[in-house]
């Protein structure tokens, strides 16, 4: 394989705190190894359109602490087609980009893998999503920041919940997985945590709330992952509980996209820096079609296919700990 001379970097899918820090790490690692780097705007959309910018070590100053992604992010329909991918390949070739670092979630990695198979184009993925739903890494970029953001918000909700003796359902992100809900639930001392992986059932929820009232608690927080499968959305849950437990006054807070914003935590900045360096150095060593992850504090590579197909499992011990904490 010819020596890589220019790496392109993009962010795609839902943004996550730490993406800017990861772009910075990729750019600086390229500068350190004396190869060129180009930023690709709006993920695969910008790749199809050839919307690139040359980046040097100074271009990424002052961004390690910034949320979002200055390269912007998008979900691309064009890249799902062979024609779109051919256009993207032609654009990369025209700009002399000979390898890619793609930062995003499983959709981003699926696109990268197909692109690699079709054009034998070197790619390495960095997992960037607040959901932490990627196999092959204990932490995705942005996850730690989101946990801290959400715990902080629930602490505030608790203040008003206890002033008014209310029960709050707090919906947090997590389309398919309950990592955020489970961890913030334990971290913020929630009464119950509803996650897609475990169907608590409505009866058990009512029992638990009944017991909590009887034990002398005057206010409660129930954390609900948006993908929870209890069979009701969070507003229907509120109605259901008010109907069956009229002693409760219930409110709902859907936290929404604020969970994706904000300055990355120190953990995410360090993780982004380590992953960015590993991604560039892996490409320079001739490796391709891998995702960079962190397992037991070691930066490791997992084949993209495994990262996409594998399941990121919740920590069941946390469910038990939560049950004990709500005694
Ligand atoms: O970033 C992941 C995620 O936050 C999911 O938990 C959520 O369902 C989804 O993104 C919503 O993203 P968007 O509004 O960008 O489609």
């Amino acid at each position: 394989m010819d020596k890589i001379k220019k790496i392109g970097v993009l962010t795609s899918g839902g943004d996550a705190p730490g993406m800017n820090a990861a772009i910075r790490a990729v750019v600086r690692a390229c500068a350190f190894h004396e190869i060129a780097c180009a930023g690709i705007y709006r993920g695969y959309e910008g790749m199809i359109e050839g919307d690139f910018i040359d980046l040097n070590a100074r271009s990424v100053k002052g961004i390690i602490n910034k949320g979002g992604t200055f390269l912007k992010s998008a979900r691309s329909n064009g890249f799902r087609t062979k024609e779109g991918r051919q256009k993207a390949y032609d654009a990369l070739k025209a700009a002399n980009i000979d390898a890619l670092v793609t930062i995003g979630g499983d959709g981003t990695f699926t696109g990268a893998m197909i692109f690699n198979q079709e054009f034998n184009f070197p790619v390495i993925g960095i997992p960037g999503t607040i959901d932490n739903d990627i196999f092959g890494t204990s932490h995705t970029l942005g996850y730690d920041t989101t946990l801290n953001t959400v715990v902080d918000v629930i602490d505030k909700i608790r203040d008003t919940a206890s002033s008014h003796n209310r029960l709050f359902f707090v919906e947090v992100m997590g389309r398919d997985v309950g990592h955020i809900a489970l961890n913030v639930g334990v971290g913020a001392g929630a009464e119950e945590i509803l996650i897609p992986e475990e169907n608590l059932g409505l009866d058990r929820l009512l029992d638990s709330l009944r017991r909590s009232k009887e034990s002398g608690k005057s206010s409660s927080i129930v954390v609900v992952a948006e993908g929870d499968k209890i069979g009701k959305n969070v507003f229907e849950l509120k109605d259901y509980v008010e109907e069956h437990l009229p002693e409760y006054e219930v409110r709902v807070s859907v936290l929404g996209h604020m969970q994706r914003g904000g300055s990355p935590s120190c953990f995410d900045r360090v993780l982004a820096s380590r992953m960015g360096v590993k991604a560039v150095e892996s490409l320079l060593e001739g490796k391709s079609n891998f995702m960079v992850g962190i397992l037991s504090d070691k930066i490791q590579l997992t084949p993209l296919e495994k990262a996409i197909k594998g399941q990121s499992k919740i920590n069941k011990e946390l469910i038990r700990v939560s049950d004990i904490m709500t005694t």
Side-chain angles (χ1 to χ4, degrees), residues 238-253:
K238 168 191 187 292
D239 294 343
Y240 187 84
V241 168
E242 279 184 334
E243 188 187 323
H244 291 84
L245 301 174
E247 63 271 36
Y248 271 109
E249 192 185 349
V250 191
R251 292 289 185 272
V252 170
S253 274

Side-chain angles (χ1 to χ4, degrees), residues 1 24 41 76 142 151 173 193 199 254 290:
M1 199 176 74
R24 170 184 180 269
Y41 285 113
S76 170
V151 159
M173 276 188 168
I193 305 168
N199 192 343
V254 176
F290 287 101

Side-chain angles (χ1 to χ4, degrees), residues 14-15 75 129-131 173-175 226 257 260:
D15 66 346
R75 303 187 203 275
T129 162
I130 65 163
D131 288 345
M173 276 188 168
R175 201 174 6 192
E226 68 174 315
H257 287 76
R260 290 220 302 235

Side-chain angles (χ1 to χ4, degrees), residues 230-282:
I230 202 163
K232 299 198 180 285
N233 73 36
V234 75
F235 293 99
E236 287 169 350
L237 266 183
K238 168 191 187 292
D239 294 343
Y240 187 84
V241 168
E242 279 184 334
E243 188 187 323
H244 291 84
L245 301 174
E247 63 271 36
Y248 271 109
E249 192 185 349
V250 191
R251 292 289 185 272
V252 170
S253 274
V254 176
L255 301 190
H257 287 76
M258 58 82 67
Q259 295 166 89
R260 290 220 302 235
S263 179
S265 64
C266 182
F267 180 90
D268 276 328
R269 297 180 199 193
V270 174
L271 185 63
S273 306
R274 294 174 75 186
M275 285 180 166
V277 169
K278 181 72 174 178
V280 169
E281 293 187 342
S282 301

Side-chain angles (χ1 to χ4, degrees), residues 140-152:
T140 53
L141 278 185
Y143 173 57
D144 179 71
T145 303
T146 296
L147 295 185
N148 289 307
T149 302
V150 176
V151 159
D152 195 42

